[in-house]
Amino acid sequence: MKRRQAFSLGNTVVVIAVASTLAFTVAAASLNHLNYSNRVSNGIQAQNIAESTLALVTEKLLNEKSEDLGKLREAGSSFTFQLNGGQGFITFNPDQAGKWELPYSTNNLDGPNPVPGYTATKPIPQNSAQLIARGTIGGVSRQVECILYIPPFPYAVATAGPFHSTGKLVVGALDDALPDGEKPAPEEILKANLASNSRDAKALVLGPDSRVSGDVRSAGGVETDETVYIGGRIRPGSDPVKLPQETVTNYDPEHFYDPKTNSYTTRPNLQKVPPGLNNSPKVSGFAKCTGDLNVKGGLELDGGVLYVDGNVIIDGGIRGKGALFVTRDLGLYGSTQMKTDNKVAVVSGGNVSIFGSGQESSMFQGMLWNKGAFSAQHITLMGVLIQADENATTDINDASLYYQSSQGKLDMTISSPGSVDVTKGNIHISALGLPITGIVTGSAVFEVYPTTAADGHWEVVDPNSRQIYSVPNKAAVRDKVKEIWNGSTSGGLVGVGPGGSGVLVVPLTVLGPLFWPNYNAELNDIPAREPGASQMLTPGSSERITIDPNQLLSRKDKVRLLYWRAR
Amino acid sequence: MKRRGLSLLETVFASGLLAGVVFMLFNLYPASALAVRRSQDHLQADQIAQTYVALYQAEPFHQLAQLPNHHSWTLSEVSVEGTNTKFKPSIEVLYGPDGSDPDVLRQLRVTVSWDWVRGPQSVTQEIFLVDLEN
């Protein structure tokens, strides 16, 4: 009896203990579950907040008005965002980053070189931004890091309309300029892409023996045969690629937009090129031709920008460095030999036809953009080709198109001649030593001009020493010029082109005999200037001209996500 | 005699204690089960919401960019195997903060609601999406 009573109580206590343990285990399990689900939920939310913070700052970076965001790493370049009960943090300022115990972000989107990021071992590449954001909610934090990148224009050839090649097309990329008359070895040809935004079934037709080293992408169909080699992927039915859009008339030097005055104005000392036939013109600075232009002997751009409001036919190719804007059609026949310093940007509002004599002997170096049909035959194009008219076709026959990012954009400084008209008078000396009588000239300028002074004296500027000499009259100019030329210690006369751009040495011994018989003609019709108004000494302001297919795209159209990490 | 009384008292005490514990357990188990179930549903709803967030992150941005501000729609109910809960997801697309470009930045709000014994429940997830489609 005693034993049964004791057993009954003990049994009860044991049962209660077991049941209580179970109860607490269940309660603890459910609490753990709740805690776990809360942490998981907060983790998801924190991740979303961190990603949202990146998105909000990325939108600011893509906004052209705040593209300098964070570059100065100032105190104001830190941001917090409230979202869904949590908070997101991001900063470009190292001090604030230290306070938040968060790595700082770096904006190098416009930078031409890599810069250090938050760790010395991890530099941020050029044209990139490293963004690091943290999201925090309910005691849970997540950090997200990304690198945004603005690549060079990614296509060797991009057309809005159909692209047809009859055969022997080569599309590739080259690291270095192509030596004159040489074809690149197959192993030197790097990957370059070809794209057409046409939705036609025959949007992209590659004829026999064509070679494309990279991707072939089309919004419509792609037609090839078994002799065609494509190194990358064939992507028919793809989304259209973003093509740079431009309005040629925006480049009219007579009606250009001046952001300083927020108005349209004419570029100072704009040179006028007469329409019609021109022999071997050389353009420096800004020039405009109103009407059709027919060029024989090739066009030379010596840091020049030629705007033609009409059609242009050029026989002999384009050489030098500069830009040609044509509102209507352009025909380019013959072409230049390969030279590393040749770089031309052609922007045409109409059709463009380029005809060379062979891929090895004819070359165009630079960027071609046109809003019309495009055709090229027997030529090598080095740079970038963009055809922006969806209703026009690009026809290529026996041509090589080599992508070179350095050739595909033009970046040059043009010196503005200031207020002095240098298109008349002075002694313009061509490379052959002959005075140039045309209006568009760009060779050395031996600066001579009458003054408005009461005594009517003339001034002669030594192009070597840049010293102004005063001579009593026009007849005395010749002796002073001879004296300066004979006294030069550099073996010749160093001349500058109109506007102070370009340098040319003209040796007296070789060129003098050719020069003197003609120089008097150069001294006619020179406008009188204020005494001391030497163009050489006060060449006026210089302007940087950049024509880059990438710049014609907005940041949001070209930025890419290079790297993404969440932790 | 004294031992018998003690035995009765002991029995009564033990029975009472047992009854109390059993009563507590009967209440605790369902409460715990409900809490676990609720947290399961909550977790499930979070996962569904995150799935839709991921879905719209993967979609072409221009599909969101063409929607007006505060555009919302309700999606079909989602059932998860092993539970009777019906989740009702809805999506709302909003513009970003003032001054932001709606062609580049949009806010996505995913709300998943479901019925619970103690009333309707919901979770909301919000995220800003930026156009990086190049």
Side-chain angles (χ1 to χ4, degrees), chain A residues 1-2 5-6 8-9 12 15-16 19-20 22-24 26-27 29-30 33-34 36-38 40-41 44-45 48-49 51-52 55-56 58-59 62-63 83-84 148 242 555-561, chain B residues 3-4 7 10-11 13-15 17-18 21 24-25 28-29 32-33 35-36 38-40 42-43 46-47 50 53 57 97 99-101 103-105 107 124-134:
Chain A
M1 188 69 181
K2 185 183 177 184
Q5 284 169 358
S8 170
L9 182 59
T12 304
V15 168
I16 289 169
S20 299
L22 275 172
F24 285 121
V26 168
S30 59
H33 201 283
L34 270 173
Y36 170 75
S37 64
N38 274 339
V40 169
S41 177
I44 293 170
Q45 304 260 32
N48 287 344
I49 293 166
E51 289 183 21
S52 295
L56 286 157
T58 300
E59 190 272 339
L62 299 186
N63 187 334
L83 187 71
N84 217 12
L148 303 175
K242 301 268 174 38
R555 272 191 169 184
K556 73 182 171 98
D557 287 337
K558 60 193 176 189
V559 72
R560 290 180 179 200
L561 188 61
Chain B
R3 268 184 287 172
R4 265 186 220 149
S7 171
E10 197 177 60
T11 304
F13 177 73
S15 301
L17 193 64
L18 194 61
V21 169
M24 188 185 76
L25 283 180
L28 191 63
Y29 276 113
S32 295
V36 169
R38 185 180 173 222
S39 67
Q40 275 180 340
H42 206 276
L43 204 56
D46 268 328
Q47 295 293 348
Q50 188 59 24
V53 167
Q57 278 178 314
S100 63
D101 183 353
D103 291 335
V104 178
L105 184 76
Q107 186 178 4
T124 299
Q125 283 190 18
E126 293 178 323
I127 191 166
F128 284 94
L129 302 177
V130 69
D131 183 6
L132 288 174
E133 278 179 9
N134 301 300

